[in-house]
Amino acid sequence: MEGKKLSTYRMMFCLAMMLILVSGCSDAETGGEESSGDETLDISMALNFDGTEAPSSGSDVEAKLEELTNTELDITHMVSANFCDRLPVLIASGDLPDVIASCGPPNQSYLLSAMQDDVFWEIGEYLDQFPTLASMADIVYENVSINEELYGIPRYRPLSRFVTVYRQDWLDNLGLEEPTNFDEFVDVMRAFTFDDPNQSGEDDTRGYTSVSLPGQFGFDFGLAHGSPHMWDVDESGNFTKDHETEEFLEGLKFSRQVFEEGLVNSDIVAPDRSAREADFENGVSGMWAASSNNVLSIEAALKSNEPDAELGVYNALEGPVGDRRLPSQMGSNGILMFPRASVESEEHLLQLLGFFEEIASNQEVIDLFAWGIEGEHYELNDGVPEHIDYDKYMNAVGYPYRYPLVTAPIEESMTQGQLSELAEYVLELEAENDELVVTDPAINLVSETENQMGADLEQLINDAKFQFVTGEIDEDQWWEAVETWKDRGGDQVRAELEEQYKELN
Amino acid sequence: MVHNPKLSERLFDAFNYFLLAIFSILCIAPFIYVIVASFSETNTAIPSGFTLDAYYYIFTTNTFVRSLGVSAYITILGTFLSIIVTTLMAYGLSFKGVPGRRIIMLAVVFTMIFNGGMIPTYIVVRSLGMIDTYWALMLPNLVMAFYLIIMRGFFQNIPNELIESAKIDGAHDIVVLFRIVLPLSMPVIAAISLFYAVGIWNQYFGAVMYINSPEKWPVQVVLRQVIILATGNIGDESSMDADSSFVGQSVQMAVVVVSIIPILMVYPFIQKHFAKGMLLGSVKG
């Protein structure tokens, strides 16, 4: 009984359904950038951010920043983890603002191919017009350069933040000095373990707390014993990985001896950092490998548990090879890039670079980043600024603006607040660390295999490392593990790095 | 039907039950482990002690509770929209005489085999202005071709005599759908609703791609955030200052438990539809 009319009606019905399907409910974006002459500069940015709540775009900090720099800012904040997932899609879809951050070091393959395709401006040639930006150390620029070309402004971070904190009051109780070399280091650990440094009359202390997170300077003392940091390269361009060297094993042997004597926590494999940190803060252990940027919070936590505690800090020990050596980090936290699609002229690019030059050199802007707004984030005591509520400052200024936007460091040029002696000393150590770092020649090289399997390979070596330190395996088995690492992809990574290295040099 | 099974059959049955039991245990063990670990006082591999601290912690963080609300909202609304559109389209396509039916079906199947991929999808979502809106979490997957085909097949299995007798009584297509077809199709509607709901509840990549504001995050993204925080940071030195607080294992487990429980709770309410016969007493023979 199917009438023609009916079925036409049904078809209409289907089509209507499909139409509903494909018509999205859109609340149209107000797009379109109208440059308003020389008046104010409109800048759209997509930045990664590490806070919890992104501020609304009309925040007073942003308003003040716009006023000081004569710009109109349109910033999209994305939480770092999501940002890293989304960046390749943003690049591929061409949905790019005037300024976009990279996700950590700019060595991902999608980014490299985008750079080869001229998606971003090469800014190396313009740098010398911007003295503050150009004042960053060469190595910071080298570490983010791809084939000698620079595709963004690095956001400066100290080259190395490794320090070790220890209990100065325990040393005083025992009549000891801060260790300067490995022999003294062992002596201090022994004393902290066996000689009742807290004078409690009980055996309730330990020399050192180690943590097994990858990349934590917890328990591999190979570097101090003369091994390279990550990779080493000789004149003919052959790469050697740190754990392939005898020196690295020497470092492990040192750790093993310390472990056997019971000078460190027995559960070095447990990767729970918070519990390990608590060991130091609660006065169980006397030493802890920290990062220079959290020494002060460790001190605060320690003093809240033990008001009489005193914290000391050093950065590097003289190793058996005689040098004080520290592993080098990137020296920057990603770069800020300028897509050609949205930044069409050289003039526009220079304006944007000028904006970043200004926020790194204009005293008012620097102090806005460093302190926030007076009465809201800081107050002046005898002319010296002091944060009212540090967390509030971090959420309103630090996470959303200072850390994503500041490129050349502002620590020295900002109006100095009242620093404790320890804080000043930490800054000194940080500066000294720059002299002590051992660099990684592969830091700006890219290996496809490393990108795919790096984590697994690292895990393999990490496991072997801990098994060796805890005495589960002997030297021969350690070398077997290194061989396994080679077969599983280590050699492949090496080959790829060497090839790239030859191309560049 | 009474019969005494032979020993061999009994053995065979026993063996079957044994295998199935093992398999069920394997399936449920991870859940049990996660639940137990979420109450654990220690962060060791073997849970021990009993504490509600982890739950206290996650329910006192704003983000997590709000994200549960977001997930519930998009799951309920999204499932509702998906079911309406899928049902109407499947119903229309289930008629034999609809002109262009084959072409439309081909188009549907085509999307199952070929899809645009992430980047074109992103461009579509962006150009429809759905970035950073809840629509971006509901509309891109509004109709799943596979579910549409299942539903259409189900509608086609409904005896034509039923529909024709309704027509003779003067019922319109729409009336037939709501009075005859849908009541008979509760099993398939229930099953597909559940699939849609689980799909939307569990989706996280869409949210990572399209949602900028943390306050619009569904629970899966928050869950991932918690886990990432717990395992340190991914970027190079992205933890800027102060102490990057590491979240304990029991908190991670608690977050997992809280995020799977709501969707597990839905199942018992739908279960009765699965058990119901499809065409019970619909056609008098």
Side-chain angles (χ1 to χ4, degrees):
Chain A
M1 297 268 140
E2 301 280 320
K4 183 95 178 119
K5 232 178 166 177
L6 260 187
S7 41
T8 319
Y9 163 73
R10 286 190 194 118
M11 180 169 178
M12 300 284 285
F13 181 75
C14 285
L15 283 176
M17 265 358 288
M18 287 184 74
L19 270 180
I20 290 174
L21 270 188
V22 294
S23 64
C25 315
S26 72
D27 37 356
E29 275 178 287
T30 46
E33 283 174 54
E34 294 162 31
S35 69
S36 39
D38 301 336
E39 293 294 299
T40 52
L41 174 67
D42 283 62
I43 310 181
S44 57
M45 309 191 204
L47 302 171
N48 61 316
F49 115 112
D50 292 289
T52 43
E53 297 268 326
S56 56
S57 56
S59 77
D60 45 6
V61 178
E62 191 161 320
K64 187 159 181 196
L65 179 60
E66 289 173 340
E67 182 195 334
L68 289 171
T69 54
N70 193 18
T71 50
E72 185 67 44
L73 300 176
D74 167 17
I75 303 180
T76 307
H77 293 282
M78 297 179 211
V79 170
S80 292
N82 297 359
F83 183 81
C84 292
D85 282 339
R86 214 195 285 191
L87 188 59
V89 179
L90 291 175
I91 290 173
S93 68
D95 179 26
L96 294 168
D98 299 344
V99 181
I100 192 161
S102 72
C103 164
N107 56 8
Q108 300 84 356
S109 49
Y110 65 84
L111 203 56
L112 298 177
S113 52
M115 287 167 179
Q116 277 160 359
D117 298 345
D118 267 345
V119 173
F120 302 105
W121 282 88
E122 204 281 325
I123 61 164
E125 54 182 303
Y126 307 105
L127 264 188
D128 47 9
Q129 300 175 38
F130 303 98
T132 319
L133 299 182
S135 69
M136 276 190 271
D138 286 346
I139 184 168
V140 174
Y141 280 113
E142 279 160 27
N143 284 350
V144 295
S145 297
I146 313 288
N147 302 351
E148 319 266 310
E149 291 181 327
L150 180 68
Y151 287 95
I153 318 174
R155 294 182 289 202
Y156 178 85
R157 293 287 176 276
L159 269 174
S160 178
R161 286 170 160 172
F162 288 113
V163 293
T164 302
V165 290
Y166 61 89
R167 292 288 297 270
Q168 184 62 51
D169 52 319
W170 287 10
L171 283 184
D172 295 343
N173 289 346
L174 299 163
L176 290 165
E177 295 287 317
E178 173 184 294
T180 57
N181 60 35
F182 269 66
D183 291 340
E184 292 171 14
F185 179 43
V186 175
D187 289 343
V188 167
M189 281 197 276
R190 281 191 190 130
F192 277 179
T193 310
F194 304 119
D195 299 351
D196 194 20
N198 57 358
Q199 295 171 330
S200 66
E202 288 171 33
D203 181 13
D204 55 0
T205 57
R206 203 171 46 221
Y208 189 95
T209 291
S210 170
V211 63
S212 76
L213 286 172
Q216 294 283 338
F217 193 49
F219 223 67
D220 11 348
F221 296 103
L223 196 72
H225 288 73
S227 90
H229 168 48
M230 302 299 283
W231 288 95
D232 198 15
V233 62
D234 62 14
E235 281 101 45
S236 42
N238 299 318
F239 275 67
T240 315
K241 181 80 175 141
D242 52 7
H243 56 243
E244 294 178 295
T245 61
E246 288 288 345
E247 290 87 352
F248 190 86
L249 186 63
E250 286 304 311
L252 285 184
K253 283 182 190 164
F254 172 83
S255 303
R256 184 172 180 156
Q257 173 209 332
V258 170
F259 182 84
E260 277 169 10
E261 280 191 51
L263 309 182
V264 295
N265 46 313
S266 53
D267 56 353
I268 56 168
V269 187
D272 184 1
R273 193 189 158 91
S274 46
R276 302 279 69 85
E277 203 165 303
D279 278 353
F280 183 82
E281 288 164 359
N282 297 328
V284 175
S285 79
M287 296 175 116
W288 162 251
S291 172
S292 60
N293 57 349
N294 58 21
V295 169
L296 295 179
S297 59
I298 292 177
E299 184 196 34
L302 178 65
K303 283 207 190 264
S304 71
N305 295 331
E306 300 198 27
D308 301 336
E310 243 187 279
L311 181 134
V313 55
Y314 67 81
N315 50 3
L317 298 166
E318 264 177 46
V321 290
D323 288 341
R324 297 168 65 206
R325 295 152 60 97
L326 284 174
S328 158
Q329 290 160 303
M330 238 4 235
S332 59
N333 179 21
I335 60 176
L336 296 171
M337 307 177 287
F338 306 93
R340 283 175 181 272
S342 42
V343 183
E344 281 160 12
S345 64
E346 203 167 275
E347 186 196 358
H348 189 184
L349 175 70
L350 290 173
Q351 283 178 322
L352 293 173
L353 288 170
F355 167 77
F356 287 103
E357 170 74 11
E358 185 171 17
I359 61 178
S361 56
N362 175 332
Q363 194 61 42
E364 276 188 89
V365 181
I366 290 175
D367 284 338
L368 174 67
F369 283 132
W371 298 104
I373 293 172
E374 187 172 3
E376 199 170 333
H377 308 114
Y378 76 95
E379 52 198 3
L380 288 172
N381 294 336
D382 310 331
V384 177
E386 192 181 341
H387 283 128
I388 298 169
D389 176 349
Y390 188 72
D391 280 345
K392 189 180 163 195
Y393 153 80
M394 281 303 285
N395 287 325
V397 187
Y399 288 132
Y401 300 109
R402 176 178 178 174
Y403 292 107
L405 282 171
V406 173
T407 51
I410 59 170
E411 278 75 8
E412 283 173 27
S413 46
M414 70 192 222
T415 304
Q416 296 300 332
Q418 196 55 51
L419 288 179
S420 65
E421 230 172 283
L422 181 67
E424 283 190 24
Y425 186 54
V426 169
L427 287 179
E428 277 173 44
L429 287 182
E430 236 171 36
E432 194 192 31
N433 276 4
D434 284 0
E435 316 286 308
L436 304 176
V437 292
V438 179
T439 53
D440 170 9
I443 198 160
N444 54 0
L445 302 179
V446 188
S447 147
E448 210 42 56
T449 310
E450 172 71 35
N451 290 348
Q452 285 164 12
M453 308 186 41
D456 298 345
L457 291 171
E458 190 177 28
Q459 188 63 48
L460 192 157
I461 287 294
N462 259 334
D463 290 349
K465 226 160 41 178
F466 287 107
Q467 285 170 333
F468 183 82
V469 171
T470 53
E472 283 175 54
I473 60 174
D474 59 19
E475 265 183 64
D476 295 341
Q477 286 163 300
W478 161 256
W479 291 120
E480 274 169 37
V482 173
E483 285 303 318
T484 316
W485 171 85
K486 287 183 191 171
D487 297 341
R488 286 258 185 95
D491 279 336
Q492 185 68 27
V493 173
R494 183 200 329 273
E496 285 164 14
L497 293 176
E498 283 173 356
E499 192 182 339
Q500 250 208 318
Y501 187 80
K502 285 195 179 75
E503 276 173 31
L504 297 181
N505 296 303
Chain B
M1 208 169 114
V2 186
H3 71 294
N4 276 331
K6 291 196 190 97
L7 179 69
S8 58
E9 280 180 18
R10 289 233 295 269
L11 269 177
F12 179 71
D13 281 352
F15 185 68
N16 263 349
Y17 282 127
F18 176 73
L19 271 187
L20 288 171
I22 295 274
F23 187 70
S24 329
I25 289 168
L26 282 179
C27 287
I28 202 146
F31 280 99
I32 292 177
Y33 176 76
V34 166
I35 290 167
V36 171
S38 70
F39 292 111
S40 165
E41 280 174 348
T42 58
N43 279 326
T44 47
I46 310 295
S48 66
F50 180 86
T51 170
L52 288 171
D53 283 356
Y55 289 91
Y56 179 78
Y57 171 82
I58 55 178
F59 281 109
T60 48
T61 61
N62 264 332
T63 7
F64 188 73
V65 179
R66 194 174 48 198
S67 73
L68 276 175
V70 168
S71 272
Y73 170 76
I74 60 167
T75 304
I76 293 167
L77 184 61
T79 307
F80 183 70
L81 292 174
S82 288
I83 279 293
I84 288 183
V85 178
T86 312
T87 309
L88 292 177
M89 191 169 168
Y91 180 61
L93 288 172
S94 69
F95 289 107
K96 295 246 168 4
V98 178
R101 183 173 85 138
R102 281 200 48 196
I103 293 171
I104 297 175
M105 273 322 288
L106 269 176
V108 167
V109 174
F110 183 83
T111 64
M112 281 175 75
I113 304 164
F114 303 97
N115 65 27
M118 197 165 62
I119 288 149
T121 311
Y122 179 86
I123 295 174
V124 169
V125 171
R126 189 190 75 207
S127 48
L128 293 174
M130 296 195 296
I131 295 289
D132 211 19
T133 67
Y134 293 131
W135 296 113
L137 304 176
M138 298 186 274
L139 296 189
N141 289 329
L142 188 71
V143 173
M144 300 290 251
F146 186 61
Y147 302 159
L148 177 78
I149 290 168
I150 292 180
M151 216 184 253
R152 169 176 163 268
F154 199 96
F155 291 160
Q156 282 175 334
N157 279 339
I158 291 175
N160 227 352
E161 296 84 345
L162 261 183
I163 293 169
E164 282 184 3
S165 65
K167 290 264 172 72
I168 290 163
D169 291 343
H172 214 286
D173 276 338
I174 299 285
V175 178
V176 170
L177 172 65
F178 282 100
R179 299 283 295 276
I180 312 282
V181 175
L182 281 190
L184 290 176
S185 308
M186 266 349 251
V188 77
I189 300 277
I192 291 197
S193 301
L194 183 72
F195 293 154
Y196 273 128
V198 171
I200 296 176
W201 182 271
N202 285 342
Q203 79 160 351
Y204 98 96
F205 200 70
V208 167
M209 279 294 143
Y210 309 128
I211 302 291
N212 295 332
S213 336
E215 65 269 17
K216 291 184 184 158
W217 278 351
V219 74
Q220 305 300 340
V221 181
V222 174
L223 173 65
R224 174 169 176 255
Q225 218 46 37
V226 168
I227 301 221
I228 285 176
L229 274 179
T231 49
N233 276 292
I234 31 171
D236 173 41
E237 305 169 67
S238 58
S239 62
M240 305 280 187
D241 256 311
D243 40 349
S244 43
S245 56
F246 285 88
V247 186
Q249 186 197 10
S250 57
V251 172
Q252 293 180 50
M253 296 298 178
V255 172
V256 174
V257 170
V258 176
S259 61
I260 53 180
I261 288 223
I263 203 77
L264 281 180
M265 303 274 279
V266 172
Y267 184 77
F269 295 102
I270 306 187
Q271 211 264 344
K272 64 169 196 268
H273 297 293
F274 292 121
K276 235 192 202 154
M278 188 172 81
L279 299 170
L280 234 55
S282 57
V283 182
K284 288 204 170 82

